[in-house]
Amino acid sequence: MMPKSYLVFKWAVYSLATAGFFALQYLVLGHVRVLGLTPLLYPVLPAVAASFEGLRRGSVFALAVGVVCDLLLPGPFEGFYTLGFTAAALLAALIAENLLAPGFLCGFAVSALSLAVTALLRLGAQALSGGGYLGLMARMALVEALITLPAVVLVVPVYRLIHQRCASDY
């Protein structure tokens, strides 16, 4: 069992790194346009963290990141990011624990999965609201995922370093 001060420090470092990635999204990636779309780094963050931290801790982190995104970003329905990120983190942790070792390959896989989960939720919300253009939205989600996945090379090393340093320092 880890002392509470250790846990607070570890998750404070994760929070600072995540805030840095939020700033990267807002200040840099938000201004990059590929076929009229911008990379969306937010779904990648909880998925990669869950691949390193496991089912319980990763899901709680995804829940927190989802709540922050729901408060800051528009979504198709209230709680969209919380629901999507938590579901993606659960799947990401299961993949990391049972199929792939946490690292770059696992990071790409769980990031693609997280982007797919959020895209499917968005498509489902659009379909339930009676809106059309589902094929166009699906193509846009695919392009968004393809332009977002290269950013995984920035996220994985940072979260891996936090996971390793915080685990070995105590």
Side-chain angles (χ1 to χ4, degrees), residues 44-138:
V44 170
L45 302 174
V48 172
S51 72
F52 284 111
E53 291 300 325
L55 194 61
R56 188 174 31 162
R57 293 182 194 132
S59 299
V60 172
F61 181 74
L63 184 73
V65 173
V67 167
V68 170
C69 284
D70 280 328
L71 292 173
L72 296 176
L73 304 171
F77 57 88
E78 292 180 15
F80 168 75
Y81 293 105
T82 303
L83 179 63
F85 292 176
T86 305
L90 288 169
L91 294 171
L94 289 173
I95 288 172
E97 290 174 1
N98 298 314
L99 296 176
L100 298 170
F104 281 105
L105 180 60
C106 183
F108 278 106
V110 298
S111 296
L113 177 73
S114 183
L115 289 163
V117 166
T118 55
L120 287 173
L121 271 175
R122 186 172 277 125
L123 286 169
Q126 181 72 13
L128 289 175
S129 69
Y133 306 108
L134 295 178
L136 176 63
M137 286 182 67

Side-chain angles (χ1 to χ4, degrees), residues 1-89:
M1 184 88 180
M2 293 182 264
K4 288 182 183 178
S5 61
Y6 168 77
L7 288 174
V8 169
F9 173 76
K10 177 182 182 178
W11 291 106
V13 173
Y14 266 115
S15 298
L16 287 173
T18 303
F21 285 124
F22 272 54
L24 175 71
Q25 173 70 47
Y26 181 74
L27 296 172
V28 177
L29 296 178
H31 300 287
V32 173
R33 300 265 189 261
V34 177
L35 299 176
L37 298 171
T38 61
L40 186 64
L41 194 58
Y42 302 118
V44 170
L45 302 174
V48 172
S51 72
F52 284 111
E53 291 300 325
L55 194 61
R56 188 174 31 162
R57 293 182 194 132
S59 299
V60 172
F61 181 74
L63 184 73
V65 173
V67 167
V68 170
C69 284
D70 280 328
L71 292 173
L72 296 176
L73 304 171
F77 57 88
E78 292 180 15
F80 168 75
Y81 293 105
T82 303
L83 179 63
F85 292 176
T86 305

